[in-house]
Amino acid sequence: MKTDEDWMLYAMSLAAKAEAVGEIPVGAVVVIDNEIVGEGWNQSIMQHDPSAHAEMLAVRAAGARIGNYRMLDATLYVTLEPCAMCAGLLVHARVKRVVFGATDLKTGACGSVMDLARHPTLNHQLQVDGGVLAEQCSQQLSAFFKRRRAEQKALKQAKHKDITS
């Protein structure tokens, strides 16, 4: 039986796939009865699709695998707190539980900015467990953005050098 930490480590490995292709490193895995039924990583840039978040792709894959759009016994593990779009997806899919790593203080919809996943007037509320391997998940994201900023700065400097040469 795998632990929440084991599944989060797996989600982090999926996030690394996103990072390898220049996407924001977020990974997600849907688990039912200790078995992976869906997985995904951010692909919005590659797919030219703002909805191609890790959670969205993982839940779509899970629905196809189990042959149902309802995932009553599923847990979604994701390296970053879901946004409103993804939290809404989890409510509609009737996912039982969401476990996330890093909180998202800009767009988090599982308790940080808003709490769509547990909103009392909706017809389904999820169990939310945040902060699993939070430091490692945060570091994965921070390192990506630090590197991206450095790359953009180097590009600007190179352009400036070309203009002044």
Side-chain angles (χ1 to χ4, degrees):
M1 194 77 162
K2 292 190 176 187
T3 66
D4 287 347
E5 289 79 9
D6 294 330
W7 290 118
M8 191 60 69
L9 286 169
Y10 185 76
M12 289 179 71
S13 74
L14 297 171
K17 291 183 178 190
E19 184 170 9
V21 294
E23 297 275 358
I24 296 171
V26 177
V29 60
V30 180
V31 176
I32 298 176
D33 295 329
N34 210 41
E35 179 184 334
I36 296 170
V37 294
E39 60 184 43
W41 54 90
N42 276 2
Q43 297 180 40
S44 295
I45 297 167
M46 285 177 37
Q47 293 190 19
H48 310 288
D49 180 356
S51 73
H53 287 195
E55 303 95 320
M56 187 74 68
L57 298 175
V59 169
R60 286 176 184 162
R65 170 107 186 265
I66 67 173
N68 196 337
Y69 71 105
R70 298 285 194 231
M71 298 171 202
L72 300 172
D73 296 319
T75 298
L76 176 101
Y77 294 89
V78 61
T79 57
L80 180 64
E81 179 181 359
C83 68
M85 175 183 68
C86 293
L89 166 75
L90 300 176
V91 169
H92 284 290
R94 306 295 195 274
V95 169
K96 182 177 183 176
R97 180 175 176 237
V98 61
V99 179
F100 66 86
T103 57
D104 187 341
L105 299 177
K106 293 183 180 179
T107 64
C110 291
S112 291
V113 174
M114 64 184 83
D115 200 351
L116 191 61
R118 295 178 286 199
H119 197 283
T121 62
L122 295 177
N123 60 347
H124 178 73
Q125 292 82 35
L126 287 80
Q127 178 184 336
V128 175
D129 294 305
V132 174
L133 300 182
E135 191 170 321
Q136 294 94 319
C137 291
S138 292
Q139 180 56 36
Q140 188 176 36
L141 286 158
S142 295
F144 170 81
F145 285 114
K146 183 177 181 179
R147 191 180 69 255
R148 182 192 249 180
R149 284 189 299 274
E151 289 167 354
Q152 288 173 344
K153 183 178 179 181
L155 186 60
K156 278 184 180 179
Q157 289 173 341
K159 282 183 182 181
H160 179 72
K161 184 179 178 182
D162 287 344
I163 292 171
T164 59
S165 297

mmCIF file of all heavy atoms in Angstrom, residues 4-12 15 25-29 54-55 75-83 90 97-105 108 110-112 127-142:
data_model
loop_
_atom_site.group_PDB
_atom_site.id
_atom_site.type_symbol
_atom_site.label_atom_id
_atom_site.label_comp_id
_atom_site.label_asym_id
_atom_site.label_seq_id
_atom_site.Cartn_x
_atom_site.Cartn_y
_atom_site.Cartn_z
ATOM 1 N N ASP A 4 0.620 8.645 0.822
ATOM 2 C CA ASP A 4 0.428 9.913 0.122
ATOM 3 C C ASP A 4 1.765 10.443 -0.398
ATOM 4 O O ASP A 4 1.842 10.977 -1.509
ATOM 5 C CB ASP A 4 -0.205 10.954 1.050
ATOM 6 C CG ASP A 4 -1.671 10.683 1.327
ATOM 7 O OD1 ASP A 4 -2.290 9.839 0.633
ATOM 8 O OD2 ASP A 4 -2.209 11.323 2.246
ATOM 9 N N GLU A 5 2.803 10.285 0.393
ATOM 10 C CA GLU A 5 4.126 10.758 -0.019
ATOM 11 C C GLU A 5 4.633 9.996 -1.242
ATOM 12 O O GLU A 5 5.223 10.589 -2.148
ATOM 13 C CB GLU A 5 5.124 10.649 1.141
ATOM 14 C CG GLU A 5 4.887 11.646 2.263
ATOM 15 C CD GLU A 5 3.759 11.254 3.225
ATOM 16 O OE1 GLU A 5 3.227 10.103 3.147
ATOM 17 O OE2 GLU A 5 3.383 12.099 4.056
ATOM 18 N N ASP A 6 4.391 8.684 -1.277
ATOM 19 C CA ASP A 6 4.794 7.880 -2.442
ATOM 20 C C ASP A 6 4.104 8.381 -3.710
ATOM 21 O O ASP A 6 4.739 8.548 -4.756
ATOM 22 C CB ASP A 6 4.446 6.400 -2.244
ATOM 23 C CG ASP A 6 5.222 5.730 -1.133
ATOM 24 O OD1 ASP A 6 6.374 6.138 -0.870
ATOM 25 O OD2 ASP A 6 4.675 4.792 -0.517
ATOM 26 N N TRP A 7 2.802 8.607 -3.614
ATOM 27 C CA TRP A 7 2.052 9.071 -4.784
ATOM 28 C C TRP A 7 2.483 10.482 -5.182
ATOM 29 O O TRP A 7 2.545 10.798 -6.378
ATOM 30 C CB TRP A 7 0.547 9.004 -4.538
ATOM 31 C CG TRP A 7 0.028 7.597 -4.480
ATOM 32 C CD1 TRP A 7 -0.582 6.985 -3.420
ATOM 33 C CD2 TRP A 7 0.072 6.619 -5.520
ATOM 34 N NE1 TRP A 7 -0.913 5.697 -3.744
ATOM 35 C CE2 TRP A 7 -0.524 5.447 -5.032
ATOM 36 C CE3 TRP A 7 0.565 6.616 -6.828
ATOM 37 C CZ2 TRP A 7 -0.646 4.293 -5.810
ATOM 38 C CZ3 TRP A 7 0.440 5.471 -7.598
ATOM 39 C CH2 TRP A 7 -0.159 4.316 -7.086
ATOM 40 N N MET A 8 2.798 11.323 -4.189
ATOM 41 C CA MET A 8 3.240 12.683 -4.518
ATOM 42 C C MET A 8 4.593 12.644 -5.221
ATOM 43 O O MET A 8 4.827 13.420 -6.160
ATOM 44 C CB MET A 8 3.305 13.552 -3.270
ATOM 45 C CG MET A 8 3.497 15.031 -3.581
ATOM 46 S SD MET A 8 2.158 15.752 -4.598
ATOM 47 C CE MET A 8 0.801 15.705 -3.426
ATOM 48 N N LEU A 9 5.467 11.761 -4.801
ATOM 49 C CA LEU A 9 6.745 11.602 -5.498
ATOM 50 C C LEU A 9 6.515 11.192 -6.953
ATOM 51 O O LEU A 9 7.209 11.664 -7.862
ATOM 52 C CB LEU A 9 7.643 10.592 -4.781
ATOM 53 C CG LEU A 9 8.272 11.078 -3.482
ATOM 54 C CD1 LEU A 9 8.919 9.916 -2.730
ATOM 55 C CD2 LEU A 9 9.278 12.195 -3.739
ATOM 56 N N TYR A 10 5.537 10.336 -7.168
ATOM 57 C CA TYR A 10 5.207 9.941 -8.536
ATOM 58 C C TYR A 10 4.680 11.146 -9.324
ATOM 59 O O TYR A 10 5.068 11.363 -10.479
ATOM 60 C CB TYR A 10 4.187 8.794 -8.545
ATOM 61 C CG TYR A 10 3.921 8.291 -9.934
ATOM 62 C CD1 TYR A 10 4.853 7.485 -10.581
ATOM 63 C CD2 TYR A 10 2.774 8.643 -10.616
ATOM 64 C CE1 TYR A 10 4.635 7.050 -11.883
ATOM 65 C CE2 TYR A 10 2.549 8.211 -11.915
ATOM 66 C CZ TYR A 10 3.481 7.416 -12.536
ATOM 67 O OH TYR A 10 3.266 6.984 -13.831
ATOM 68 N N ALA A 11 3.808 11.926 -8.696
ATOM 69 C CA ALA A 11 3.294 13.134 -9.351
ATOM 70 C C ALA A 11 4.440 14.093 -9.683
ATOM 71 O O ALA A 11 4.445 14.723 -10.745
ATOM 72 C CB ALA A 11 2.250 13.816 -8.473
ATOM 73 N N MET A 12 5.431 14.180 -8.803
ATOM 74 C CA MET A 12 6.599 15.028 -9.071
ATOM 75 C C MET A 12 7.386 14.519 -10.284
ATOM 76 O O MET A 12 7.922 15.314 -11.050
ATOM 77 C CB MET A 12 7.493 15.125 -7.836
ATOM 78 C CG MET A 12 6.884 15.951 -6.713
ATOM 79 S SD MET A 12 7.951 16.029 -5.262
ATOM 80 C CE MET A 12 9.257 17.090 -5.931
ATOM 81 N N ALA A 15 5.607 15.827 -13.151
ATOM 82 C CA ALA A 15 5.900 17.257 -13.296
ATOM 83 C C ALA A 15 7.223 17.465 -14.021
ATOM 84 O O ALA A 15 7.371 18.406 -14.815
ATOM 85 C CB ALA A 15 5.919 17.930 -11.924
ATOM 86 N N PRO A 25 6.137 22.931 -14.351
ATOM 87 C CA PRO A 25 6.210 21.561 -13.830
ATOM 88 C C PRO A 25 5.143 21.238 -12.779
ATOM 89 O O PRO A 25 5.347 21.389 -11.580
ATOM 90 C CB PRO A 25 7.618 21.488 -13.229
ATOM 91 C CG PRO A 25 7.929 22.886 -12.840
ATOM 92 C CD PRO A 25 7.256 23.746 -13.871
ATOM 93 N N VAL A 26 4.011 20.788 -13.286
ATOM 94 C CA VAL A 26 2.931 20.302 -12.423
ATOM 95 C C VAL A 26 2.559 18.918 -12.932
ATOM 96 O O VAL A 26 2.380 18.729 -14.138
ATOM 97 C CB VAL A 26 1.698 21.237 -12.427
ATOM 98 C CG1 VAL A 26 0.574 20.662 -11.579
ATOM 99 C CG2 VAL A 26 2.078 22.637 -11.943
ATOM 100 N N GLY A 27 2.465 17.968 -12.011
ATOM 101 C CA GLY A 27 2.074 16.611 -12.354
ATOM 102 C C GLY A 27 0.918 16.154 -11.491
ATOM 103 O O GLY A 27 0.766 16.622 -10.357
ATOM 104 N N ALA A 28 0.103 15.256 -12.037
ATOM 105 C CA ALA A 28 -1.067 14.760 -11.310
ATOM 106 C C ALA A 28 -1.292 13.287 -11.629
ATOM 107 O O ALA A 28 -1.042 12.836 -12.748
ATOM 108 C CB ALA A 28 -2.316 15.563 -11.689
ATOM 109 N N VAL A 29 -1.778 12.568 -10.632
ATOM 110 C CA VAL A 29 -2.092 11.153 -10.804
ATOM 111 C C VAL A 29 -3.397 10.847 -10.070
ATOM 112 O O VAL A 29 -3.619 11.327 -8.961
ATOM 113 C CB VAL A 29 -0.928 10.251 -10.317
ATOM 114 C CG1 VAL A 29 -0.611 10.464 -8.854
ATOM 115 C CG2 VAL A 29 -1.189 8.792 -10.608
ATOM 116 N N ALA A 54 -2.413 19.588 -15.647
ATOM 117 C CA ALA A 54 -2.105 18.219 -15.224
ATOM 118 C C ALA A 54 -3.345 17.500 -14.699
ATOM 119 O O ALA A 54 -3.613 16.347 -15.058
ATOM 120 C CB ALA A 54 -1.012 18.245 -14.155
ATOM 121 N N GLU A 55 -4.116 18.190 -13.851
ATOM 122 C CA GLU A 55 -5.315 17.573 -13.264
ATOM 123 C C GLU A 55 -6.329 17.211 -14.339
ATOM 124 O O GLU A 55 -6.929 16.135 -14.311
ATOM 125 C CB GLU A 55 -5.989 18.527 -12.258
ATOM 126 C CG GLU A 55 -5.102 18.989 -11.144
ATOM 127 C CD GLU A 55 -4.437 20.329 -11.397
ATOM 128 O OE1 GLU A 55 -4.002 20.601 -12.537
ATOM 129 O OE2 GLU A 55 -4.347 21.124 -10.441
ATOM 130 N N THR A 75 -8.706 9.307 -5.575
ATOM 131 C CA THR A 75 -7.884 10.366 -4.990
ATOM 132 C C THR A 75 -7.017 10.923 -6.089
ATOM 133 O O THR A 75 -6.398 10.169 -6.845
ATOM 134 C CB THR A 75 -6.988 9.818 -3.853
ATOM 135 O OG1 THR A 75 -7.834 9.309 -2.809
ATOM 136 C CG2 THR A 75 -6.090 10.901 -3.279
ATOM 137 N N LEU A 76 -6.986 12.248 -6.189
ATOM 138 C CA LEU A 76 -6.093 12.912 -7.140
ATOM 139 C C LEU A 76 -4.932 13.494 -6.349
ATOM 140 O O LEU A 76 -5.141 14.237 -5.386
ATOM 141 C CB LEU A 76 -6.806 14.035 -7.882
ATOM 142 C CG LEU A 76 -5.853 14.802 -8.799
ATOM 143 C CD1 LEU A 76 -6.014 14.346 -10.235
ATOM 144 C CD2 LEU A 76 -6.042 16.285 -8.686
ATOM 145 N N TYR A 77 -3.721 13.132 -6.756
ATOM 146 C CA TYR A 77 -2.500 13.688 -6.179
ATOM 147 C C TYR A 77 -1.949 14.672 -7.201
ATOM 148 O O TYR A 77 -1.783 14.311 -8.372
ATOM 149 C CB TYR A 77 -1.465 12.587 -5.916
ATOM 150 C CG TYR A 77 -1.907 11.619 -4.854
ATOM 151 C CD1 TYR A 77 -2.646 10.488 -5.182
ATOM 152 C CD2 TYR A 77 -1.599 11.846 -3.515
ATOM 153 C CE1 TYR A 77 -3.074 9.608 -4.199
ATOM 154 C CE2 TYR A 77 -2.027 10.967 -2.530
ATOM 155 C CZ TYR A 77 -2.762 9.852 -2.884
ATOM 156 O OH TYR A 77 -3.189 8.981 -1.908
ATOM 157 N N VAL A 78 -1.655 15.889 -6.763
ATOM 158 C CA VAL A 78 -1.146 16.908 -7.669
ATOM 159 C C VAL A 78 -0.118 17.760 -6.943
ATOM 160 O O VAL A 78 -0.260 18.041 -5.755
ATOM 161 C CB VAL A 78 -2.301 17.754 -8.267
ATOM 162 C CG1 VAL A 78 -3.082 18.490 -7.190
ATOM 163 C CG2 VAL A 78 -1.806 18.686 -9.348
ATOM 164 N N THR A 79 0.917 18.148 -7.661
ATOM 165 C CA THR A 79 2.041 18.830 -7.034
ATOM 166 C C THR A 79 1.747 20.276 -6.656
ATOM 167 O O THR A 79 2.442 20.847 -5.822
ATOM 168 C CB THR A 79 3.281 18.782 -7.943
ATOM 169 O OG1 THR A 79 2.965 19.372 -9.213
ATOM 170 C CG2 THR A 79 3.734 17.344 -8.146
ATOM 171 N N LEU A 80 0.712 20.881 -7.250
ATOM 172 C CA LEU A 80 0.331 22.259 -6.961
ATOM 173 C C LEU A 80 -1.167 22.314 -6.712
ATOM 174 O O LEU A 80 -1.945 21.669 -7.419
ATOM 175 C CB LEU A 80 0.698 23.162 -8.153
ATOM 176 C CG LEU A 80 0.377 24.647 -8.031
ATOM 177 C CD1 LEU A 80 1.190 25.294 -6.908
ATOM 178 C CD2 LEU A 80 0.651 25.361 -9.357
ATOM 179 N N GLU A 81 -1.558 23.098 -5.744
ATOM 180 C CA GLU A 81 -2.979 23.268 -5.420
ATOM 181 C C GLU A 81 -3.772 23.590 -6.682
ATOM 182 O O GLU A 81 -3.405 24.481 -7.444
ATOM 183 C CB GLU A 81 -3.126 24.408 -4.413
ATOM 184 C CG GLU A 81 -4.548 24.693 -4.012
ATOM 185 C CD GLU A 81 -4.663 25.843 -3.028
ATOM 186 O OE1 GLU A 81 -3.618 26.421 -2.644
ATOM 187 O OE2 GLU A 81 -5.802 26.159 -2.639
ATOM 188 N N PRO A 82 -4.874 22.874 -6.914
ATOM 189 C CA PRO A 82 -5.675 23.107 -8.120
ATOM 190 C C PRO A 82 -6.252 24.517 -8.202
ATOM 191 O O PRO A 82 -6.620 25.117 -7.196
ATOM 192 C CB PRO A 82 -6.797 22.072 -8.013
ATOM 193 C CG PRO A 82 -6.195 20.968 -7.197
ATOM 194 C CD PRO A 82 -5.330 21.689 -6.187
ATOM 195 N N CYS A 83 -6.345 25.020 -9.438
ATOM 196 C CA CYS A 83 -6.982 26.306 -9.726
ATOM 197 C C CYS A 83 -8.505 26.106 -9.724
ATOM 198 O O CYS A 83 -8.998 24.983 -9.564
ATOM 199 C CB CYS A 83 -6.513 26.820 -11.083
ATOM 200 S SG CYS A 83 -7.094 25.829 -12.487
ATOM 201 N N LEU A 90 -12.902 18.600 -10.478
ATOM 202 C CA LEU A 90 -12.898 17.574 -9.435
ATOM 203 C C LEU A 90 -14.255 17.452 -8.757
ATOM 204 O O LEU A 90 -14.693 16.350 -8.417
ATOM 205 C CB LEU A 90 -11.797 17.876 -8.415
ATOM 206 C CG LEU A 90 -10.378 17.919 -8.980
ATOM 207 C CD1 LEU A 90 -9.383 18.334 -7.898
ATOM 208 C CD2 LEU A 90 -9.989 16.609 -9.621
ATOM 209 N N ARG A 97 -11.195 12.670 -2.980
ATOM 210 C CA ARG A 97 -10.141 13.340 -2.215
ATOM 211 C C ARG A 97 -9.112 13.936 -3.152
ATOM 212 O O ARG A 97 -8.765 13.338 -4.163
ATOM 213 C CB ARG A 97 -9.494 12.296 -1.309
ATOM 214 C CG ARG A 97 -8.385 12.763 -0.446
ATOM 215 C CD ARG A 97 -7.951 11.605 0.491
ATOM 216 N NE ARG A 97 -6.818 12.004 1.279
ATOM 217 C CZ ARG A 97 -5.650 11.374 1.311
ATOM 218 N NH1 ARG A 97 -5.474 10.264 0.617
ATOM 219 N NH2 ARG A 97 -4.668 11.821 2.056
ATOM 220 N N VAL A 98 -8.616 15.121 -2.814
ATOM 221 C CA VAL A 98 -7.495 15.723 -3.523
ATOM 222 C C VAL A 98 -6.376 15.950 -2.524
ATOM 223 O O VAL A 98 -6.603 16.424 -1.410
ATOM 224 C CB VAL A 98 -7.874 17.037 -4.250
ATOM 225 C CG1 VAL A 98 -8.360 18.107 -3.284
ATOM 226 C CG2 VAL A 98 -6.710 17.557 -5.072
ATOM 227 N N VAL A 99 -5.186 15.544 -2.921
ATOM 228 C CA VAL A 99 -3.984 15.724 -2.109
ATOM 229 C C VAL A 99 -3.033 16.558 -2.942
ATOM 230 O O VAL A 99 -2.700 16.173 -4.059
ATOM 231 C CB VAL A 99 -3.333 14.363 -1.759
ATOM 232 C CG1 VAL A 99 -2.069 14.570 -0.933
ATOM 233 C CG2 VAL A 99 -4.322 13.469 -1.022
ATOM 234 N N PHE A 100 -2.634 17.716 -2.415
ATOM 235 C CA PHE A 100 -1.713 18.543 -3.179
ATOM 236 C C PHE A 100 -0.464 18.845 -2.378
ATOM 237 O O PHE A 100 -0.445 18.737 -1.158
ATOM 238 C CB PHE A 100 -2.382 19.827 -3.704
ATOM 239 C CG PHE A 100 -2.806 20.815 -2.659
ATOM 240 C CD1 PHE A 100 -1.915 21.763 -2.154
ATOM 241 C CD2 PHE A 100 -4.111 20.836 -2.192
ATOM 242 C CE1 PHE A 100 -2.308 22.692 -1.213
ATOM 243 C CE2 PHE A 100 -4.522 21.758 -1.247
ATOM 244 C CZ PHE A 100 -3.612 22.692 -0.750
ATOM 245 N N GLY A 101 0.571 19.227 -3.111
ATOM 246 C CA GLY A 101 1.850 19.554 -2.493
ATOM 247 C C GLY A 101 1.931 21.020 -2.128
ATOM 248 O O GLY A 101 1.612 21.426 -1.015
ATOM 249 N N ALA A 102 2.328 21.853 -3.088
ATOM 250 C CA ALA A 102 2.521 23.282 -2.853
ATOM 251 C C ALA A 102 1.195 24.030 -2.908
ATOM 252 O O ALA A 102 0.334 23.726 -3.736
ATOM 253 C CB ALA A 102 3.478 23.842 -3.908
ATOM 254 N N THR A 103 1.045 25.007 -2.032
ATOM 255 C CA THR A 103 -0.125 25.879 -2.115
ATOM 256 C C THR A 103 0.106 26.900 -3.226
ATOM 257 O O THR A 103 1.236 27.230 -3.567
ATOM 258 C CB THR A 103 -0.381 26.621 -0.788
ATOM 259 O OG1 THR A 103 0.795 27.355 -0.445
ATOM 260 C CG2 THR A 103 -0.722 25.660 0.329
ATOM 261 N N ASP A 104 -0.995 27.385 -3.791
ATOM 262 C CA ASP A 104 -0.932 28.399 -4.841
ATOM 263 C C ASP A 104 -1.643 29.646 -4.344
ATOM 264 O O ASP A 104 -2.872 29.718 -4.352
ATOM 265 C CB ASP A 104 -1.579 27.873 -6.124
ATOM 266 C CG ASP A 104 -1.407 28.816 -7.298
ATOM 267 O OD1 ASP A 104 -1.122 30.014 -7.077
ATOM 268 O OD2 ASP A 104 -1.560 28.358 -8.442
ATOM 269 N N LEU A 105 -0.859 30.607 -3.893
ATOM 270 C CA LEU A 105 -1.413 31.817 -3.286
ATOM 271 C C LEU A 105 -1.972 32.797 -4.313
ATOM 272 O O LEU A 105 -2.525 33.827 -3.930
ATOM 273 C CB LEU A 105 -0.355 32.502 -2.424
ATOM 274 C CG LEU A 105 0.165 31.643 -1.259
ATOM 275 C CD1 LEU A 105 1.266 32.362 -0.503
ATOM 276 C CD2 LEU A 105 -0.973 31.247 -0.329
ATOM 277 N N GLY A 108 -5.031 29.345 -6.204
ATOM 278 C CA GLY A 108 -5.452 28.122 -5.526
ATOM 279 C C GLY A 108 -6.919 28.124 -5.141
ATOM 280 O O GLY A 108 -7.412 29.073 -4.530
ATOM 281 N N CYS A 110 -8.436 25.361 -3.512
ATOM 282 C CA CYS A 110 -8.689 24.318 -2.509
ATOM 283 C C CYS A 110 -8.306 24.836 -1.126
ATOM 284 O O CYS A 110 -7.797 24.095 -0.298
ATOM 285 C CB CYS A 110 -7.921 23.049 -2.868
ATOM 286 S SG CYS A 110 -8.545 22.214 -4.336
ATOM 287 N N GLY A 111 -8.508 26.131 -0.921
ATOM 288 C CA GLY A 111 -8.279 26.710 0.387
ATOM 289 C C GLY A 111 -7.421 27.959 0.429
ATOM 290 O O GLY A 111 -7.527 28.742 1.362
ATOM 291 N N SER A 112 -6.573 28.187 -0.578
ATOM 292 C CA SER A 112 -5.671 29.346 -0.523
ATOM 293 C C SER A 112 -6.372 30.651 -0.900
ATOM 294 O O SER A 112 -6.519 31.533 -0.067
ATOM 295 C CB SER A 112 -4.453 29.134 -1.417
ATOM 296 O OG SER A 112 -3.627 28.127 -0.866
ATOM 297 N N GLN A 127 -12.646 15.843 0.081
ATOM 298 C CA GLN A 127 -11.704 15.879 1.192
ATOM 299 C C GLN A 127 -10.429 16.485 0.620
ATOM 300 O O GLN A 127 -9.951 16.051 -0.430
ATOM 301 C CB GLN A 127 -11.432 14.477 1.725
ATOM 302 C CG GLN A 127 -10.417 14.444 2.847
ATOM 303 C CD GLN A 127 -10.099 13.031 3.301
ATOM 304 O OE1 GLN A 127 -10.889 12.111 3.136
ATOM 305 N NE2 GLN A 127 -8.917 12.870 3.868
ATOM 306 N N VAL A 128 -9.876 17.488 1.285
ATOM 307 C CA VAL A 128 -8.683 18.168 0.799
ATOM 308 C C VAL A 128 -7.563 18.001 1.812
ATOM 309 O O VAL A 128 -7.741 18.312 2.996
ATOM 310 C CB VAL A 128 -8.947 19.676 0.569
ATOM 311 C CG1 VAL A 128 -7.664 20.400 0.168
ATOM 312 C CG2 VAL A 128 -10.039 19.878 -0.480
ATOM 313 N N ASP A 129 -6.438 17.499 1.343
ATOM 314 C CA ASP A 129 -5.247 17.362 2.173
ATOM 315 C C ASP A 129 -4.098 18.041 1.438
ATOM 316 O O ASP A 129 -3.588 17.510 0.456
ATOM 317 C CB ASP A 129 -4.923 15.884 2.442
ATOM 318 C CG ASP A 129 -6.004 15.223 3.285
ATOM 319 O OD1 ASP A 129 -6.300 15.749 4.371
ATOM 320 O OD2 ASP A 129 -6.557 14.201 2.834
ATOM 321 N N GLY A 130 -3.719 19.206 1.900
ATOM 322 C CA GLY A 130 -2.654 19.960 1.258
ATOM 323 C C GLY A 130 -1.363 19.881 2.041
ATOM 324 O O GLY A 130 -1.342 19.520 3.216
ATOM 325 N N GLY A 131 -0.286 20.208 1.373
ATOM 326 C CA GLY A 131 1.008 20.296 2.027
ATOM 327 C C GLY A 131 1.824 19.016 2.041
ATOM 328 O O GLY A 131 2.843 18.956 2.716
ATOM 329 N N VAL A 132 1.405 18.000 1.282
ATOM 330 C CA VAL A 132 2.176 16.758 1.232
ATOM 331 C C VAL A 132 3.419 16.995 0.359
ATOM 332 O O VAL A 132 3.295 17.359 -0.808
ATOM 333 C CB VAL A 132 1.324 15.588 0.692
ATOM 334 C CG1 VAL A 132 2.173 14.338 0.503
ATOM 335 C CG2 VAL A 132 0.160 15.318 1.630
ATOM 336 N N LEU A 133 4.573 16.849 0.945
ATOM 337 C CA LEU A 133 5.854 17.147 0.290
ATOM 338 C C LEU A 133 5.861 18.570 -0.273
ATOM 339 O O LEU A 133 6.422 18.846 -1.342
ATOM 340 C CB LEU A 133 6.188 16.131 -0.806
ATOM 341 C CG LEU A 133 6.326 14.672 -0.373
ATOM 342 C CD1 LEU A 133 6.717 13.803 -1.560
ATOM 343 C CD2 LEU A 133 7.345 14.510 0.745
ATOM 344 N N ALA A 134 5.250 19.477 0.475
ATOM 345 C CA ALA A 134 5.097 20.867 0.028
ATOM 346 C C ALA A 134 6.428 21.519 -0.320
ATOM 347 O O ALA A 134 6.535 22.197 -1.346
ATOM 348 C CB ALA A 134 4.368 21.688 1.088
ATOM 349 N N GLU A 135 7.426 21.324 0.507
ATOM 350 C CA GLU A 135 8.711 21.969 0.264
ATOM 351 C C GLU A 135 9.346 21.474 -1.038
ATOM 352 O O GLU A 135 9.844 22.265 -1.837
ATOM 353 C CB GLU A 135 9.663 21.751 1.438
ATOM 354 C CG GLU A 135 10.904 22.602 1.372
ATOM 355 C CD GLU A 135 11.713 22.546 2.648
ATOM 356 O OE1 GLU A 135 11.124 22.529 3.737
ATOM 357 O OE2 GLU A 135 12.951 22.518 2.527
ATOM 358 N N GLN A 136 9.305 20.171 -1.259
ATOM 359 C CA GLN A 136 9.883 19.605 -2.480
ATOM 360 C C GLN A 136 9.111 20.068 -3.721
ATOM 361 O O GLN A 136 9.713 20.396 -4.748
ATOM 362 C CB GLN A 136 9.908 18.077 -2.421
ATOM 363 C CG GLN A 136 10.827 17.513 -1.362
ATOM 364 C CD GLN A 136 10.099 17.228 -0.042
ATOM 365 O OE1 GLN A 136 9.264 18.013 0.409
ATOM 366 N NE2 GLN A 136 10.435 16.116 0.578
ATOM 367 N N CYS A 137 7.781 20.091 -3.624
ATOM 368 C CA CYS A 137 6.959 20.536 -4.757
ATOM 369 C C CYS A 137 7.195 22.018 -5.037
ATOM 370 O O CYS A 137 7.328 22.421 -6.202
ATOM 371 C CB CYS A 137 5.484 20.273 -4.480
ATOM 372 S SG CYS A 137 5.029 18.523 -4.447
ATOM 373 N N SER A 138 7.273 22.815 -3.988
ATOM 374 C CA SER A 138 7.541 24.250 -4.146
ATOM 375 C C SER A 138 8.904 24.476 -4.773
ATOM 376 O O SER A 138 9.063 25.326 -5.659
ATOM 377 C CB SER A 138 7.483 24.969 -2.800
ATOM 378 O OG SER A 138 6.178 24.984 -2.302
ATOM 379 N N GLN A 139 9.883 23.707 -4.327
ATOM 380 C CA GLN A 139 11.237 23.844 -4.862
ATOM 381 C C GLN A 139 11.278 23.499 -6.348
ATOM 382 O O GLN A 139 11.971 24.158 -7.129
ATOM 383 C CB GLN A 139 12.215 22.968 -4.073
ATOM 384 C CG GLN A 139 13.650 23.039 -4.555
ATOM 385 C CD GLN A 139 14.219 24.454 -4.574
ATOM 386 O OE1 GLN A 139 13.914 25.264 -3.714
ATOM 387 N NE2 GLN A 139 15.031 24.753 -5.565
ATOM 388 N N GLN A 140 10.544 22.477 -6.749
ATOM 389 C CA GLN A 140 10.507 22.088 -8.160
ATOM 390 C C GLN A 140 9.973 23.250 -9.008
ATOM 391 O O GLN A 140 10.532 23.570 -10.058
ATOM 392 C CB GLN A 140 9.634 20.838 -8.323
ATOM 393 C CG GLN A 140 9.673 20.220 -9.700
ATOM 394 C CD GLN A 140 8.868 18.933 -9.785
ATOM 395 O OE1 GLN A 140 7.824 18.796 -9.151
ATOM 396 N NE2 GLN A 140 9.354 17.987 -10.567
ATOM 397 N N LEU A 141 8.930 23.893 -8.528
ATOM 398 C CA LEU A 141 8.354 25.029 -9.248
ATOM 399 C C LEU A 141 9.278 26.244 -9.202
ATOM 400 O O LEU A 141 9.510 26.896 -10.218
ATOM 401 C CB LEU A 141 6.988 25.388 -8.652
ATOM 402 C CG LEU A 141 5.865 24.421 -9.002
ATOM 403 C CD1 LEU A 141 4.743 24.509 -7.986
ATOM 404 C CD2 LEU A 141 5.352 24.715 -10.405
ATOM 405 N N SER A 142 9.816 26.544 -8.031
ATOM 406 C CA SER A 142 10.696 27.710 -7.876
ATOM 407 C C SER A 142 11.934 27.603 -8.756
ATOM 408 O O SER A 142 12.349 28.585 -9.387
ATOM 409 C CB SER A 142 11.125 27.873 -6.418
ATOM 410 O OG SER A 142 10.009 28.170 -5.615
#
